[in-house]
């Protein structure tokens, strides 16, 4: 993580990061704060814990196991694999299932 490699963990993988001390000084989330405290005796990062579906802190991305869409969104946003308008249309399409976002997605990639 100190080499600025992107590290992404979802669900139980956040426990592995907590056990390594990686979550002690960075904003993060997981399935639940109490789970981290229960399974990670060396975990001291509760002041950095955010009760959100997914959290990005520089090159660290964490998410709850019930937030695969938000986890994917944060990874795609951090890696700049899509134009902003393409990413936003993609995310809204899968989040809302509204057809207007399909058309926005197609429009955003025309001529790409």
């Amino acid at each position: 993580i100190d080499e600025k490699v992107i590290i992404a963990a979802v669900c139980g993988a956040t426990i592995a990061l907590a056990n390594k001390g990686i979550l002690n000084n960075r904003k993060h989330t997981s399935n639940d704060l109490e789970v981290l405290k229960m399974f990670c005796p060396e975990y001291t990062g509760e002041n950095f814990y955010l009760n959100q579906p997914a959290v990005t802190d520089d090159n660290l991305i964490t998410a709850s196991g019930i937030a695969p869409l938000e986890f994917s969104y944060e990874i795609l946003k951090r890696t700049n694999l899509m134009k902003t308008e393409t990413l936003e249309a993609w995310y809204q399409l899968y989040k809302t299932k509204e057809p207007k976002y399909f058309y926005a997605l197609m429009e955003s990639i025309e001529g790409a």
Side-chain angles (χ1 to χ4, degrees):
I1 197 159
D2 293 333
E3 295 177 17
K4 298 299 179 188
V5 172
I6 296 172
I7 296 179
V10 63
C11 196
T14 60
I15 293 171
L17 296 183
N19 277 325
K20 292 284 187 184
I22 292 173
L23 304 183
N24 288 341
N25 300 324
R26 297 172 184 270
K27 291 184 288 185
H28 62 278
T29 195
S30 183
N31 292 329
D32 186 68
L33 177 59
E34 295 305 315
V35 170
L36 291 178
K37 290 167 49 175
M38 179 187 307
F39 291 107
C40 309
E42 304 299 317
Y43 173 71
T44 60
E46 60 188 76
N47 289 334
F48 294 93
Y49 185 88
L50 300 174
N51 191 19
Q52 299 175 356
V55 173
T56 298
D57 185 348
D58 192 26
N59 59 322
L60 175 66
I61 302 167
T62 53
S64 164
I66 59 170
L69 178 62
E70 291 80 1
F71 183 58
S72 299
Y73 173 81
E74 292 298 323
I75 291 170
L76 291 169
K77 185 166 72 170
R78 180 63 177 81
T79 57
N80 296 312
L81 292 175
M82 295 181 190
K83 297 183 303 186
T84 301
E85 57 270 17
T86 302
L87 177 59
E88 292 304 319
W90 172 86
Y91 177 71
Q92 291 300 322
L93 174 62
Y94 285 95
K95 184 175 175 84
T96 68
K97 317 287 190 277
E98 292 182 25
K100 68 181 180 180
Y101 295 112
F102 170 78
Y103 297 109
L105 177 61
M106 293 300 105
E107 188 175 300
S108 76
I109 59 176
E110 280 183 8

